[in-house]
Amino acid sequence: MADPVLVFDLDGTLIHSAPEIHGVARDVLAQEGLPELSYELITSFVGNGLPTLVSRILVQLGLPGTGEQHHRMVEHFESIYQQRFDLTSLYPGVMSMLHDLSGRHRLAICTNKPQAPTRAVLAHFGLTDFFSVVIGGDTLPRRKPDPLPLHQAIRDSGGGDAIFVGDSEVDADTARNAQIPFALFTGGYRKTAVEDLGAKWIFDHHDEFRP
């Protein structure tokens, strides 16, 4: 029997991008003449995709979470985000983990980050060749926690057994909805207790994850 497909979330799982997201949000808000929001608050909005992030920012500021301003800010955010990596970093052990796992597993990405910045950040960190399949938040009509993107990533990888690796409540819900075993990286952006996320594997450092 073939080894399972390993499908990875990106932000909070392979890359620590919250400082970058906060920095871009600060610039987008400044251009709109809106006040800056804290790092902690912006980080709490991460996980459900860029349109939802921007919507939550606007609602937090007492503004409509949809409409022309929302659309403009999403476009501006994405245009900056796919070119800026100064504050983004790989979590320790990610590169060695991917080298080890790629020898016997098919690897894929399933993220709510839009496709363009996803591919840009993978290329920036030299990760592109590890992943034959990349599903972004705008690749399909629905995004996580809907199971469609995860199922698509598995199908495009050749099908068979799979494990979804993530860091958050959204990822845990996605795995549950897709009826796929879940592996939890504890160092990401979750707010829920580890034991409440139903993970089959739990790891604090990427050197520890070898399913």
Side-chain angles (χ1 to χ4, degrees):
M1 182 179 295
D3 287 313
V5 179
L6 301 182
V7 185
F8 288 86
D9 171 54
L10 186 58
D11 296 78
T13 300
L14 298 178
I15 63 170
H16 179 42
S17 55
E20 200 79 70
I21 293 170
H22 178 249
V24 175
R26 183 178 58 235
D27 291 351
V28 171
L29 286 167
Q31 180 163 321
E32 294 288 324
L34 297 172
E36 180 179 343
L37 297 177
S38 71
Y39 172 84
E40 291 76 17
L41 188 59
I42 294 294
T43 301
S44 76
F45 294 160
V46 171
N48 291 92
L50 179 55
T52 301
L53 171 70
V54 174
S55 181
R56 288 170 174 167
I57 288 171
L58 288 169
V59 170
Q60 178 68 31
L61 294 171
L63 297 167
T66 59
E68 181 180 344
Q69 185 175 33
H70 175 267
H71 179 72
R72 182 175 65 247
M73 288 174 66
V74 168
E75 287 193 337
H76 185 202
F77 200 113
E78 185 171 347
S79 70
I80 299 173
Y81 194 38
Q82 61 188 297
Q83 302 177 56
R84 188 188 296 178
F85 311 104
D86 295 346
L87 302 178
T88 300
S89 59
L90 291 180
Y91 284 108
V94 163
M95 190 64 78
S96 61
M97 175 195 70
L98 294 176
H99 273 292
D100 290 349
L101 293 177
S102 63
R104 57 190 176 87
H105 291 277
R106 294 159 288 159
L107 307 182
I109 292 287
C110 181
T111 175
N112 277 341
K113 184 193 291 294
Q115 184 83 214
T118 294
R119 291 194 177 278
V121 76
L122 291 174
H124 176 78
F125 287 108
L127 304 181
T128 300
D129 290 345
F130 289 116
F131 302 103
S132 59
V133 174
V134 176
I135 303 294
D138 55 357
T139 304
L140 299 168
R142 302 192 296 276
R143 59 173 61 90
K144 303 182 302 180
D146 191 285
L148 175 65
L150 180 51
H151 283 152
Q152 189 68 51
I154 296 165
R155 282 194 297 270
D156 289 354
S157 298
D161 293 336
I163 298 168
F164 187 42
V165 188
D167 70 291
S168 70
E169 294 83 355
V170 171
D171 297 325
D173 288 344
T174 304
R176 187 179 305 111
N177 293 339
Q179 298 184 310
I180 299 297
F182 181 52
L184 174 68
F185 170 55
T186 63
Y189 305 143
R190 69 181 166 81
K191 296 173 280 293
T192 302
V194 168
E195 59 270 19
D196 293 336
L197 293 181
K200 185 174 180 179
W201 296 268
I202 298 171
F203 61 101
D204 302 323
H205 192 284
H206 289 79
D207 284 344
E208 302 168 2
F209 182 61
R210 299 296 186 274

